[in-house]
Amino acid sequence: MSNLVTGEAVILGLRAAKLPSRALAIALDLLVEVVALFVTLITVGTLTPDLDSAAGAAISLGLVVFFLVALPILIETLSRGRSLGKLALGLRVVRSDGGPVRFRHSLVRGLVGFFEIIFFSGIPAVITSLVDSQGRRLGDIFSGSLVVRERVPGAGRGREALPALPPQLMQALGGELVALDLSAVPDGLWLAVRQYLARLDQLDPAVALGMAQRLVGDLVSRTGHAAPYGVHPAAYLGAVLAERQRREWARAAGAHGIAAQQPHPQGPYPAHQPYQSAQPYQPPQPEPQQHLPQAQTPAPAPAPPTQPTQQPQPPQTAGGFAPPA
């Protein structure tokens, strides 16, 4: 698995760059470097006209080493294998295992390249690139690096899309995906699947099919379930990756719902109380005075209630008029 996608998503299925494209990239880099060198030499000579010959020779030698050796090494290290010429032609320098180059690889390539390209006019580099199956020069062989083509011409044009799956096969595939145990699949394999699907349109069809089959084999060995017959390996990888994302989303949504139902650690928030009108002011009532205990005397018997005497009502006439008494 690690030999499929490594470093910064560098896929080993990309084609190795051959001599014509590499020579054109080197020519572009040398053109920019030589122009910058001459401009700097002219600027230094104009600003310091009183320099003696020894100081001028030392400055010139230092500028030549900087622009032709140090600057290419610095650019290749910081850009992870992409110089100006390689970036224009879609090339990149990687390690032999597919990872990005580091300073030691760029240092060896720059030192050896100065002699085989500039000092010997590129003759050793041309001979080695023609003999080597991957088009490497001496600097690549000594540093353990390789120049690959990141942009393959016509890689994403004219390619047929993945064949559509029948509905019955899609239903069966969905049932198998739900039953898969994805807990044993490592994160590195998921990363390789995502990077493969993202770079699928940039790969050669034969290389893409072989890599998809190897990735499916790694998934099958981890899950213990064979891939269904009739499904394209790339489509199966996409379906399994979508199922894993669906499970992660459901797990995150379930955890959020449980956290929302749990009570607040400091108690629930008080409910909103309706507005109540103000009550009239009541003065404070005086407190009853406390008397010292005295000898208890029998309370007098209550008097019987008196009945009120009824006054005789004067007779009333039929019309309701009462004569004065």
Side-chain angles (χ1 to χ4, degrees):
M1 181 189 62
S2 61
N3 58 346
L4 293 178
V5 183
T6 55
E8 296 179 345
V10 178
I11 302 179
L12 291 183
L14 296 176
R15 301 175 184 176
K18 298 302 181 180
L19 179 60
S21 58
R22 295 193 58 181
L24 184 56
I26 293 175
L28 290 176
D29 291 337
L30 286 177
L31 178 62
V32 174
E33 293 166 5
V34 170
V35 169
L37 174 61
F38 275 104
V39 170
T40 306
L41 288 176
I42 295 174
T43 304
V44 172
T46 304
L47 296 178
T48 56
D50 298 334
L51 285 177
D52 55 359
S53 59
I59 293 177
S60 301
L61 180 60
L63 290 177
V64 168
V65 173
F66 173 76
F67 280 99
L68 298 182
V69 180
L71 187 60
I73 295 174
L74 182 62
I75 293 177
E76 190 173 284
T77 303
L78 297 179
S79 63
R80 298 301 180 94
R82 298 186 185 94
S83 62
L84 182 61
K86 293 181 178 62
L87 185 62
L89 296 178
L91 307 181
R92 182 179 180 180
V93 183
V94 298
R95 299 196 307 260
S96 298
D97 59 353
V101 292
R102 301 185 182 278
F103 174 73
R104 62 178 182 273
H105 306 93
S106 301
L107 179 61
V108 175
R109 281 175 48 83
L111 293 178
V112 178
F114 176 79
F115 290 98
E116 65 173 336
I117 295 176
I118 299 177
F119 192 78
F120 291 103
S121 302
I123 297 177
V126 172
I127 296 176
T128 309
S129 298
L130 292 175
V131 173
D132 190 79
S133 60
Q134 296 179 338
R136 297 181 298 175
R137 61 179 178 86
L138 292 178
D140 298 327
I141 297 175
F142 292 156
S143 63
S145 60
L146 174 68
V147 180
V148 297
R149 301 179 63 179
E150 287 191 314
R151 297 195 303 266
V152 180
R157 298 189 299 268
R159 179 181 300 178
E160 297 181 358
L162 296 178
L165 302 179
Q168 298 82 1
L169 188 56
M170 293 180 62
Q171 183 177 2
L173 178 61
E176 292 187 4
L177 291 177
V178 174
L180 283 180
D181 183 13
L182 304 179
S183 59
V185 181
D187 294 338
L189 184 54
W190 292 121
L191 177 62
V193 172
R194 287 196 299 268
Q195 293 177 349
Y196 165 76
L197 294 176
R199 303 287 293 273
L200 182 60
D201 57 344
Q202 303 179 11
L203 299 177
D204 184 75
V207 175
L209 179 60
M211 295 178 64
Q213 292 175 350
R214 296 176 63 178
L215 288 173
V216 169
D218 292 341
L219 278 176
V220 168
S221 63
R222 298 287 184 175
T223 59
H225 288 74
Y229 178 77
V231 180
H232 194 277
Y236 182 72
L237 292 175
V240 175
L241 184 61
E243 173 64 20
R244 178 176 182 264
Q245 294 176 351
R246 184 194 66 81
R247 295 184 184 182
E248 290 182 352
W249 180 87
R251 189 182 303 112
H256 179 73
I258 295 175
Q261 295 178 2
Q262 291 180 354
H264 195 271
Q266 297 182 357
Y269 291 101
H272 177 69
Q273 299 293 339
Y275 175 76
Q276 297 180 357
S277 60
Q279 300 294 332
Y281 174 75
Q282 295 181 358
Q285 299 295 333
E287 297 182 358
Q289 297 181 359
Q290 297 181 359
H291 300 280
L292 295 177
Q294 297 179 358
Q296 298 182 357
T297 58
T306 58
Q307 297 293 336
T309 58
Q310 297 183 357
Q311 300 291 337
Q313 299 292 336
Q316 297 181 358
T317 62
F321 175 75

